[in-house]
Amino acid sequence: MAEQRRAERLDQPREPRGVKLPRFDPEAFGRWSEGIARGMGTANFIVYMTVVIAAWFAWNTLAPTNLQFDPYTFTFLTLVLSLQASYAAPLILLAQNRQADRDRVALEEDRRRATAQKADTEYLAREIAALRIAMGEVATRDFVRSELTRLAEELDEAAQRRQKLERRQQERASQRPGGGAPLDEPRDDLDGDFAARDRRPEG
């Protein structure tokens, strides 16, 4: 008794003790049912079925009585058609259920892709907006060119003032040993350092 309890696995379903039914692959059966449903949904099936029923009627009506296997009222034909309809309906429903499962999976995948695409689009929109804001603060080529031109002009003016100042210093240095009076010329802004020196009396 204890060995029997040890042999039982709680993580596995218990085997049925009744009659064991044959097992089949649901996927294979589903593919088979879809094939039948597709075949029954074609024009060829309707044409072939019409030909078979017409031949059945013709044989059991025009053939000799001893050769007729389903005489008038066609009871056997009615039974065959009823049996066909009773099997066709579940097979068609099974095929529709499988198609609905595939459609649901495809719809979920499309929804996931749409969500990811929306997130990517929003991210790109934010990045483009940030780039536009950043580009508004970046100096353009014309602005940089105008600033460089202005700076070059200021450097040229400073160089001209420096040359003028050096020339005045040379003139003053050449005039003082000879006792000549210095030339009276207007002073510019860079000559301020010589103004105080010129005001001091010479010893």
Side-chain angles (χ1 to χ4, degrees), residues 51-61 69-70 74 76-78 80:
V51 170
V52 170
I53 292 175
W56 191 297
F57 285 167
W59 180 265
N60 290 287
T61 302
F69 58 89
D70 189 18
F74 309 112
F76 184 58
L77 178 61
T78 304
V80 171

Side-chain angles (χ1 to χ4, degrees), residues 78-95:
T78 304
L79 178 62
V80 171
L81 294 178
S82 300
L83 187 64
Q84 175 191 351
S86 64
Y87 275 96
L91 291 175
I92 292 173
L93 288 176
L94 179 60

Side-chain angles (χ1 to χ4, degrees), residues 19 49-51 57 67 83 105 113 117 129 158 171 198 202:
V19 180
M49 186 173 178
T50 303
V51 170
F57 285 167
L67 296 178
L83 187 64
V105 172
R113 290 182 179 178
Q117 186 176 4
E171 290 177 356
D198 292 340
E202 297 181 358

Side-chain angles (χ1 to χ4, degrees), residues 4 14 16 21 29 39 55 70 78 80 83 96 99-100 116 126 132 136 147 154 167 172 179 186 199:
Q4 183 179 0
R14 182 178 297 179
L21 298 176
F29 187 79
D70 189 18
T78 304
V80 171
L83 187 64
Q96 288 179 351
Q99 184 63 37
R126 289 194 298 269
R132 292 180 62 183
E147 290 296 319
E154 291 179 357
R167 190 166 54 250
R172 288 194 182 100
R199 293 193 190 98

Side-chain angles (χ1 to χ4, degrees), residues 121-159:
T121 304
E122 292 178 353
Y123 173 76
L124 291 177
R126 289 194 298 269
E127 289 295 322
I128 292 174
L131 287 176
R132 292 180 62 183
I133 294 173
M135 288 298 295
E137 299 176 356
V138 175
T140 61
R141 183 177 59 183
D142 296 336
F143 176 76
V144 174
R145 183 178 297 172
S146 63
E147 290 296 319
L148 290 176
T149 303
R150 186 176 62 82
L151 181 60
E153 292 176 354
E154 291 179 357
L155 291 176
D156 292 340
E157 292 177 0

Side-chain angles (χ1 to χ4, degrees), residues 183-202:
L183 298 175
D184 294 332
E185 293 182 357
R187 302 174 183 268
D188 56 7
D189 296 337
L190 296 179
D191 296 339
D193 54 345
F194 294 99
R197 189 177 64 183
D198 292 340
R199 293 193 190 98
R200 290 182 299 180
E202 297 181 358

